[in-house]
Amino acid sequence: KANNNTSPAPGGSANAPAGKKINAVFYVNGTLGDKGFFDSAQRGMVKAGKELGINVKSVEGGTNQADWAAGLESLVSSKKYDVVVVGTSQMIDIVKDIAARYPDEKFIFFDDVIEGMPNVYSMLYSQSEGSFLAGAFAALVTENTELKAANPDKVIGFVGGMDIPIINDFKAGYEQGAHYIDPGVKVVASYIGDFANAPKGKELALSQFNTQKADIVYQVAGGAGLGALEASKNVGKYSIGVDGNQNPLYPGNVLTSMAKNIDASVVRALGLYQQGTLAFGTNEVLGLKEGGIGLSKDDLYAKYVPKSIQDKMTDIENKLASGEIQVKSILK
Amino acid sequence: MKTEKAIYLELAGIAFAIVIALLCGFAVILATSAEPFTALSSLIVDPVSNLFNIGTILNKAVPLIFTGLSLAVVFQSGVFSMGAEGQLYAGGFLGALVAVNIHGLPAWIHFPLILVCAMAGGALFAGIAGWLKAYWNANEVVTTLMLNFVAILATSYFVNNVFKDPASGGYARMPYISPDLLLKKPIPGFPAHTGFVLALLAVVVVYLLLYKTKVGYELRLVGKNSRFADYGGIHTNRVIISSIMIGGALAGLAGIVEILGVHGTYKDNFSAGLGFDGIIIALLARNHPVGVLIAALFYAYIQVGAQTMQVGSDMPREVAVIIQVMLVLLVSSQAIFAFLKQKYATRQKAVK
Amino acid sequence: MWQALWTQIADLTLIVVLLRLMTPILLSALGGLISDIAGVINIGLEGLMLLSAFTSIAVGAATDSWVIGTIAGVAASVAMCYVMGFFSIKLKVDIIIAGFAVNIFGSGFTVFLMSKIYGLTGNYSPENLNPIPNVVIPGIQDIPVLGKLLSGHNLMVWISLIAVVFCFVLLYRTPYGVHLRSVGEAPAAAKSLGIPVGRVQYSALAWSGVFSGLAGAYMSMGMTSMFVKDMTAGTGFLALAVVLLGNRNPVGIFFGSLIFGLASAVTTIVQTTPGSQVPSQFIQMIPYVVTIVALVIFAVRKKRKLLTQAS
Amino acid sequence: MTILLEMKDIHKVYPNGTAANRGVDLTVYEGEIHALVGENGAGKSTLMKILFGLEAPTSGTIEYKGKPVSFKGPKDAIEQGMGMVHQHFMLAPSLSVSENIVLGEEPKKGPLSMFRDRATERRGIVKLIETYGLKVDPDARVETIPVGQKQRVEILKVLYRGARLIILDEPTAVLTPQETDELFASIKALVGQGYTIIFITHKLREVMEISNRVTVIKAGKTIATLNTKETNPEQISRLMVGREVLFRVEKQPAEPKEPVLSIRDLHSVDDKGAPALRGISLDIRAGEVVGIAGVEGNGQTELVEAITGLRRATSGSIRYLDKELVGKSVANIRAMKIGHVPEDRQTTGASLTSTIAENLILDHYRNPEFKRGPFLNKKKIKQFAKVMMEIFDVRAQNEEVLAGSLSGGNLQKVVIARELSKNPKLLIASQPTRGVDIGAIEFIHREIIKRRDGGAAVLLVSAELSEVMALSDRIAVIYEGEIVAVLDNTPELTEENIGYYMLGLGKKHREKEGAAQ
Ligand SMILES: Nc1ncnc2c1ncn2[C@@H]1O[C@H](COP(=O)(O)OP(=O)(O)OP(=O)(O)O)[C@@H](O)[C@H]1O
Ligand SMILES: Nc1ncnc2c1ncn2[C@@H]1O[C@H](COP(=O)(O)OP(=O)(O)OP(=O)(O)O)[C@@H](O)[C@H]1O
Ligand SMILES: [Mg+2]
Ligand SMILES: [Mg+2]
């Protein structure tokens, strides 16, 4: 459902100067490692640098929101870079403003939609769709009888970084997925308060496991959420990672991850740009079908997840892709 | 005549400290960079090499000037508050509410009203800590640190739930404030907004308040010797509460000016530690308003330098930050100043 | 909610959680205490903990020994304290500025090291880390109440409790402790008796390095088995508050940490109880509000004590 | 006699440029009591700090026991057998007496001598206290003991370290006459045992009483060293001040008029809440000086604080002219032309980190005369400060100098100037000349009498009985929070007469029912 709803860029002008090595820069509106998707985008940049042979650089703007507009503009106005990669909904207004004032500069924008700017290409990942899968998966796990650590209580956990819309969008998808399987599944949600306090993330998950009888927890809390994953290992229960494939962190405990494939999409976009075919002025929602999001199904998944659940998930994924299942995002 | 010399000495000390700091920074750069000279020039020269960066420095300095002033006032009354961060949120929040939700007022009434409400928000919130200290004898360091969390969490709740712009997407904010209420950028191509003028005004007002008025006299006296103030019939408790509240009002201004000048509306978690930076600014300035102005500009300059260094060279953010820290440490080294003064004094003696 | 709380108090889960949460605060508060008593209050606890958290897990993973890891973490933290001392004592940089500098440095430098050494930016979780062990007491373990109360806690929990006693003895039963107190309270007097004020202050800072080093090691190798950028998330500042809440003595600090830990443990329970109508932000406020209330009660009682002594 | 110590041509310039010593010579013989005198700020303390290793001299040599020495710090001096009792207490208030005494040289025990040996410590101190008769409670926290005992702790500190040369920098400034006598007895005993004492004081009576020789310093230079037996106070003071100093206070008989202050049955409590004033009744009339005599700690401080509003009265009344003072705020009381020179100028009477001008306008900054619109009138204030400094002979570069950098005498003049500048109808002066040099004492005494003659009522509180007797027209003796006697200061009145009441041996009420003549 790639909805190229904006008219194509005028004359496809938006393309790489031929013959010259492309300079791409990633402006991080925060610091790397803060939340998983910056790291993921960063991986994409590195990969693009290697595979496509372009010059890549990343500049961290820091956590002070007030710096971001000036930080991004200083990159753009330096004219050193052909294309700027930048993302998150917090940057929408800033990018719109700067893109309008520097019409010759190109922007690849990820994690949200910018419409109507002829020099911006944007990609949105449907995190609610991905979280729907995670929720369905968790519900299947908690009711499963093959998994040793699954208990009869129909309780699943959610550990969020902060009680803010973007995180609650994950939560909403998660709940929809769980209730799609069984409306009787109870979702326990707790918030850490930041994205760094791993011990607290662990403590909350432990409490969900030990006293709320949850047997699987979905973390959406960046670095802090790693604590929740570790908790699942300590008590021998299950968890679901986020942003990238976190299955290998605690094999057998982290059963799957809801990965936003920002890295792949960044590489793809830069590749298209290099070839001169990236459609600036348009945006794409990268859902399950487009490979923008999805559960990580690696060897570990194959090894630890019961066949019955795997099959059921494939089934649900098909229904999602075909549009038979519609996930409501609270952000729209 | 004597004070003039003292000022020269002070300036010489600063220059000396900066030179040492740069040498240290240079050593770090040499050790970690493949292009040390580019790195150094992007740290030192780039921030002032174009109007854009200069404007950025000014914009960054604005909230620091306000929080620095806020803490300078409080510190001068002998109270060690760490609460500017929370007060900034409280004030910014209230100011933004008034900006967003009141319609139909002419801007020349609405704008001052916003500022007044921001000041009131900061002051009232600060008043809690003041009241706890003055009448319950509760240590202000603890209460202000804790109240910061309370303010941040409470405002976060309200902006995420009650006052959220439905269009705000993944990160909550209030609806955008009408452009005619925002701080303008009067010079085309120069990103500085008029908040800097407000900050300068605040420096002057705080200076006058502290050094030229009855309130300032009482406030400083309580800070210097509260027993003497008691003996002189000054109501120390009242003075402490009012100084904390004045500080709160200034912190509230820091918040609203940042909102009106940079963010355009109240955004969740917008401050990122401006209140804590204010502590460093006030201490660097030895709690003098004019010093605050200079220290804030210096601090903003090296912050922008850290950013331009990252953009213009191979230095990662962390190293840039470390150099920034070294600059602050060396410039605030009293020993360097004392050393110069002593040198000077003994030379004078020798001349006699 | 109340019921959940009650069952967890009854089955001692609350105590277990409390001990876990209280340990890092208690340890770093003891560090803050010693520096504060010597008149060099250390605002940099946060940065020191981060530094130690990273160093200890890095070394611990490389050597496969939590002992060496912890020692390395403490050493890094102590070394940082000496640098801080150099700036504040020798170059006379305001101790608060120096402390903030340490915080900024600790946050930045650990990330820098992480990216240089492992090529990672956000977090580091070594695969088979040998973490600081839990102490299981064989005989007691199976006794119903006593078992849960005494057995199975992390070694660092016990170390933190021993540290309270240690600090008490250090401050009140050794000559060095008297020197520390005199240097903080009356530096001129101490100097006039030939006590090397600067050196004592250096050593006090070093002690704060030792304890925040232990706290940091516990966070990355005991509470969790990972380092996450900025994972201390304000613990150092809470510790600072606890120093003052605890009336600047080890026993008071123990109770201060206890109050804070208890409030945090209760918060954890409330936060994970489904069906609570209270917004999460207000639940997260609990420990901070409780601290203020405790402080006020404490101050009022102190005042009243003075008055009752009078009549 | 052998020379123990010889300091030659000592110069000292402080980092801020103050030249405190500009060529001081000092020779001390073994076993003598050597008095060091000079005006406030002459450089006495500085010289002693140099000797003790606390300050490094800018130039000059020190020979001790025949060998040149240069101390890097007090530790070296202590090792060489020197001990110093500083002008201002060098005590850690929250530590116990014994902890303060042994600080730095604690008896140790345990493995690696890690622990304090508190038993040995206690025993040692108890013995020390007995040997020298300096009574203090070794377990009390220093912040809870009276000043006299603090001074004893300081001396015990020195003795504990086995010092043979003891420097006493104005040890008697804060002592009561009784305490001074006890101290002198101890000092004499020490000299008997071969100790050598350097003794700084502003009280020439003490110099004459106890010293063998006396060195006079003026403006950082040695003026003379004299044998005490061959000199007299007049000569010393002439050398010190450079002019004749009158030791008598010149005053005419008082002409008292209407009562200005009438205290009736006043009760109050001390900081710990124990009763401190138990029914004080006293009248002070315009044109007279009423002195309060009493052993320190008998309620003098509380009485003054109660009158000035700093302490709440639990019952009773204080009438000033026609107004009741009980229940009024300090600000209100200060606004009623009541001047108050507090007993401690360092902590209460002045703000050391403020400028002289800022100290001087404490009452006037509220006054519209000193304002211009919403602002303070800087020019007026400056002018006012200049005039005050001129009138009261405050010696400092200008009015912007920090009060803390003034010498004791000059600081006291600032306090007096401020309190007199409001033309008080009632002046309450507590220890007005404590630690102040003789020139300044003369000046302050004259000012007080001038005010009395101008019709002000003066309440004088002083630990110095001689001062009370010299200035007062009537003397009220306070004992355990009560006025036990009010005596007319006739020439026949002797110190013994007053001492009798001060010790609580008798009562002589005259003002019980407002029957003040
Ligand atoms: N640490 C210091 N820094 C600068 N100036 C100082 C310092 N200590 C003393 N002074 C100045 O040096 C001069 C001599 O001071 P000193 O204390 O030696 O005088 P003193 O003779 O002891 O006086 P007093 O009788 O009042 O005790 C004074 O002008 C004083 O203000
Ligand atoms: N750095 C400094 N600059 C200026 N003055 C200083 C400094 N350090 C100390 N002083 C002050 O210098 C004064 C020394 O002068 P002096 O001894 O004459 O005064 P004092 O100690 O107040 O005397 P007294 O005991 O007679 O009241 C001290 O009061 C001290 O506070
Ligand atoms: Mg289940
Ligand atoms: Mg002196």
Side-chain angles (χ1 to χ4, degrees), chain D residues 16 40-41 87-88 170 345-346 404-408 435:
Chain D
N16 67 358
N40 292 122
Q87 181 169 2
H88 300 295
E170 292 192 41
R345 62 175 164 268
Q346 299 270 339
S405 65
L406 293 177
S407 69

Side-chain angles (χ1 to χ4, degrees), chain C residues 123-274:
Chain C
N123 44 67
Y124 167 60
S125 31
E127 244 168 58
N128 20 34
L129 179 80
N130 194 350
I132 301 173
N134 290 341
V135 182
V136 176
I137 307 171
I140 294 177
Q141 192 195 359
D142 302 321
I143 305 173
V145 173
L146 224 52
K148 197 156 183 184
L149 211 54
L150 293 178
S151 179
H153 302 307
N154 192 277
L155 177 62
M156 200 57 86
V157 172
W158 293 109
I159 291 180
S160 76
L161 296 178
I162 293 167
V164 176
V165 180
F166 175 84
C167 284
F168 185 86
V169 172
L170 186 77
L171 286 174
Y172 300 107
R173 294 288 180 268
T174 70
Y176 170 72
V178 185
H179 296 184
L180 278 173
R181 290 188 283 149
S182 67
V183 162
E185 193 169 19
K191 187 182 168 202
S192 76
L193 293 179
I195 290 173
V197 174
R199 225 181 310 152
V200 171
Q201 290 183 330
Y202 267 109
S203 72
L205 281 175
W207 278 116
S208 72
V210 170
F211 287 112
S212 34
L214 289 174
Y218 173 64
M219 288 189 102
S220 66
M221 285 201 306
M223 283 181 107
T224 66
S225 313
M226 65 185 72
F227 177 81
V228 175
K229 173 187 161 55
D230 291 332
M231 71 189 292
T232 46
T235 313
F237 281 99
L238 296 175
L240 221 56
V242 167
V243 172
L244 300 167
L245 178 64
N247 203 21
R248 297 195 157 98
N249 77 67
V251 181
I253 282 176
F254 171 74
F255 285 108
S257 314
L258 198 68
I259 291 172
F260 195 86
L262 190 64
S264 305
V266 168
T267 308
T268 307
I269 292 170
V270 175
Q271 262 183 309
T272 49
T273 306

